[in-house]
Amino acid sequence: TPVRFQKEKPREIAVVNLIGMALDDPDQPDYQVLITNNDNRLNRDLLFDKMVNAYSMAFKAAEHLRRRVLCCSPIGDGAFDPEIESFINDIAEPAVREAWKSFGHIGVLWAQWPEFNVPSAFFQDHFWKEDLENRLFVNAWDCWSMLGNGNGGSDHTTDGSWGRSSPTAPPRR
C-alpha cells in the first residue's frame, strides 16, 4: 500500500493485517472460546496455538510475496489485551518464534510502537525506511472494524495509524 507522511512522496509498503484475539469483553467470541466459564481463566495454551497460527499465515504471506523479513508486532495487545502481565514476552514473541520454525529462511524483526511508529518510521527512521522491498509489516487489526479502525484521528493505535496514512481501507467520509 502507498503510505503518506506529511508532504513526502508516498512510499510503497507491504503490510499484512492479522486479527488478534479479542478478550476484552465476555460477549466477544474469542473470549467465549478462550476463557473457561468454570473458573474464568484464560486457556493460555489455546491462545498460544491461535497466535502461532496467525503468525504462520503472516510468514506464508511473506514467502508468497518473496519478502525476506517479516516485521512483527503483537496482535491482540492493547484494546483487546488478555490481561496477561507480560503478554508480549510470554505469548506474542514465543508465538512468533514457534511460527518461524517452519519459515527459517525468512528473517524476523520486532516492529512495535513506540520504537516503530507508522507512518514516520518509513520516512524518518534510518533503520525502518531501508530495504522496504524485502520487508512485510504486520498490522494488528480489529476484525470488528474496517482496516485502519475507521481512519479517524482519535485512534492512536498502530492500526489507526495505518488507516490514516494509507489506503489500507476506504477513507472515512
Side-chain angles (χ1 to χ4, degrees), residues 50-156:
K50 291 186 176 300
M51 298 276 291
V52 170
N53 185 54
Y55 284 114
S56 293
M57 288 189 269
F59 278 107
K60 190 66 178 171
E63 186 176 71
H64 177 75
L65 294 170
R66 296 189 175 111
R67 301 292 170 138
R68 294 194 312 247
V69 179
L70 182 65
C71 302
C72 295
S73 63
I75 61 170
D77 191 29
F80 291 135
D81 193 337
E83 296 185 8
I84 296 174
E85 187 173 320
S86 54
F87 173 75
I88 293 168
N89 292 332
D90 292 349
I91 303 289
E93 286 179 350
V96 169
R97 286 192 301 274
E98 184 64 27
W100 180 66
K101 289 178 181 178
S102 298
F103 299 92
H105 58 287
I106 297 172
V108 177
L109 292 173
W110 198 251
Q112 181 183 357
W113 185 88
E115 292 81 21
F116 171 76
N117 192 4
V118 175
S120 62
F122 305 124
F123 297 87
Q124 295 178 331
D125 188 313
H126 179 72
F127 178 78
W128 290 113
K129 71 180 188 177
E130 301 303 319
D131 203 31
L132 289 174
E133 65 277 359
N134 288 308
R135 295 177 176 179
L136 176 63
F137 291 84
V138 170
N139 176 36
W141 176 38
D142 165 9
C143 67
W144 300 114
S145 71
M146 69 182 196
L147 292 166
N149 278 348
N151 308 336
S154 63
D155 181 344
H156 300 292

Side-chain angles (χ1 to χ4, degrees), residues 11-39:
R11 299 190 79 179
E12 291 290 324
I13 310 295
V15 59
V16 60
N17 299 288
L18 296 184
I19 299 170
M21 298 343 121
L23 302 172
D24 61 325
D25 186 287
D27 290 332
Q28 296 276 18
D30 296 330
Y31 188 102
Q32 294 169 6
V33 170
L34 294 167
I35 307 288
T36 59
N37 290 335
N38 300 344
D39 55 7

